[in-house]
Amino acid sequence: MRMVEYEVENHKNKRKEKNWTEDTIRNLNNSPEGNHKQKNKKKIKKEEHKWKKEIPSVSISVVGSIIDNTQSQELATLLAGQIARAATIFQVDEIVVVDNKALSSNGSEVNNGDQNESGAQFLVRILQYLETPQYLRRRLFPMHNSFKHVGLLPPLDAPHHVRKHEWSPFREGVTLEVDASGPNGTLVDVGLSKNVKLEQVLMPGLRVTVAMGAGRNMETDSLKKVVGQNSPREEMGIYWGYKVRYAPNFSSVFKSCPYKDSYDCIVGTSEHGAVINSSELCLPKHLLIAFGGLGGLEESIEEDDDLKGKGVHEIFHSYLNTCPHQGSRTIRTEEAIFISLQYFQEPIRRAEYDFVWNDFLITF
């Protein structure tokens, strides 16, 4: 496991943050994980080899109040589209939407498509819709007023949004019904002129990732196979979209983490954070970057009963200012996401390279 190694320089005026960072490094270096690199690779156990196969990931969390504070449903939709585009461009694996049940600036909830739908629920719905390939949307998403303005949004054009004439080793599809004309199997719509048939029997209406086989003949009648959603990335290094998770409060972001040992590094972003050159960061396997709303992450923490009274350094492994020389007094959340994801690109790519190289050494 790669540890977080921050060398904070040029911040003598922020003694508290510097001491906290140094303590974090000391604790990590003295932990069993910090000593893991010193083990003889020839003695690595099979369990450790399986653990190494888990690919690195990048997650972001955003608060639903950014939707509640928009002035119209159209603007709310455009905002959701910007977040989806940023996540796709920078290959984010997971978007966690926190429902902090914030109110709009005039004291009432903004109607973003459904009078009983919070801003977080609206954001989840739009993000899921945009991540889904266009040819599957009508089957997977019933008509809803929240989709009134989605036609204004630019497409994500992600690798798994495969066009009809394009060949791809994998395709996203939706199960239709059991094929009664022959042996047991399931028909799947994968966006081609002809449905494909699976060797498995699955219930209708499921979204699945289908391995199309090595042959480039898209009209072949050979049986296809359902694979895990991460297979395209694990086997071929192809980014295959993001997952969307709803969190009823801020503490649920961490409690319901999909990874076995939770996030290895949780980074909070704020104008009050430490200023560190991204080249000095050494990121671990599962990174979470948290973004606040109008009141920042401090407000989100205070609104959560499980976290109330805790400081940011008790919750985050690091609290960073990713845009220290801003010309505007405020940076909007959708802007902060683009800025921060670009800021983390170099250490993220380095962590992925280290993962591939370590995996090669283990296999060798």
Side-chain angles (χ1 to χ4, degrees), residues 245-317:
R245 178 161 64 91
Y246 172 84
N249 49 48
F250 198 69
S251 57
S252 297
V253 174
F254 321 114
K255 292 178 180 178
S256 303
C257 174
Y259 304 109
K260 182 179 178 181
D261 298 317
S262 190
Y263 302 105
D264 301 310
C265 182
I266 303 172
V267 178
T269 58
S270 170
E271 62 179 332
H272 306 297
V275 180
I276 301 175
N277 194 318
S278 64
S279 62
E280 300 175 30
L281 302 179
C282 185
L283 299 178
K285 188 169 53 175
H286 299 305
L287 170 68
L288 170 68
I289 310 169
F291 298 92
L294 290 178
L297 288 171
E298 295 88 350
E299 183 180 84
S300 299
I301 294 171
E302 190 63 27
E303 290 174 346
D304 193 311
D305 292 336
D306 293 337
L307 301 177
K308 187 173 294 185
K310 291 188 176 182
V312 292
H313 297 312
E314 297 177 76
I315 299 171
F316 303 104
H317 295 117

Side-chain angles (χ1 to χ4, degrees), residues 58-64 83 92-99 120 123-124 127 242-254 256-259 263 287-291 337:
V58 178
S59 302
I60 63 173
S61 71
V62 295
V63 293
I83 296 174
V92 169
D93 301 283
E94 178 193 35
I95 304 176
V96 188
V97 181
V98 183
D99 195 345
L123 181 56
V124 166
L127 291 175
Y242 55 77
K243 297 177 182 178
V244 184
R245 178 161 64 91
Y246 172 84
N249 49 48
F250 198 69
S251 57
S252 297
V253 174
F254 321 114
S256 303
C257 174
Y259 304 109
Y263 302 105
L287 170 68
L288 170 68
I289 310 169
F291 298 92
I337 292 175

Side-chain angles (χ1 to χ4, degrees), residues 88 92-94 131 158-160 229 233 238-243:
T88 303
V92 169
D93 301 283
E94 178 193 35
E131 188 276 336
H160 65 298
Q229 187 179 4
R233 189 165 189 178
I238 305 174
Y239 175 66
W240 211 247
Y242 55 77
K243 297 177 182 178

Side-chain angles (χ1 to χ4, degrees), residues 27 48 50 58 72 125 132 145 166 171 180 197 206 254 257 265 269 274 285 303 344 360:
N27 292 335
E48 292 173 326
K50 290 180 181 178
V58 178
S72 67
R125 191 186 301 274
T132 303
N145 193 42
E166 292 178 330
R171 276 183 174 266
K197 185 176 179 181
L206 296 178
F254 321 114
C257 174
C265 182
T269 58
K285 188 169 53 175
E303 290 174 346
F344 282 105
F360 169 77

Side-chain angles (χ1 to χ4, degrees), residues 66 78-79 93 114 130 172 179 206 211 218 225 256 263 266 300 304 329 338 355:
I66 62 173
L78 293 173
L79 173 56
D93 301 283
D114 190 322
L130 292 175
E172 289 295 287
D179 186 10
L206 296 178
M218 295 186 289
K225 185 179 180 180
S256 303
Y263 302 105
I266 303 172
S300 299
D304 193 311
R329 292 188 181 91
F338 270 103
F355 166 79

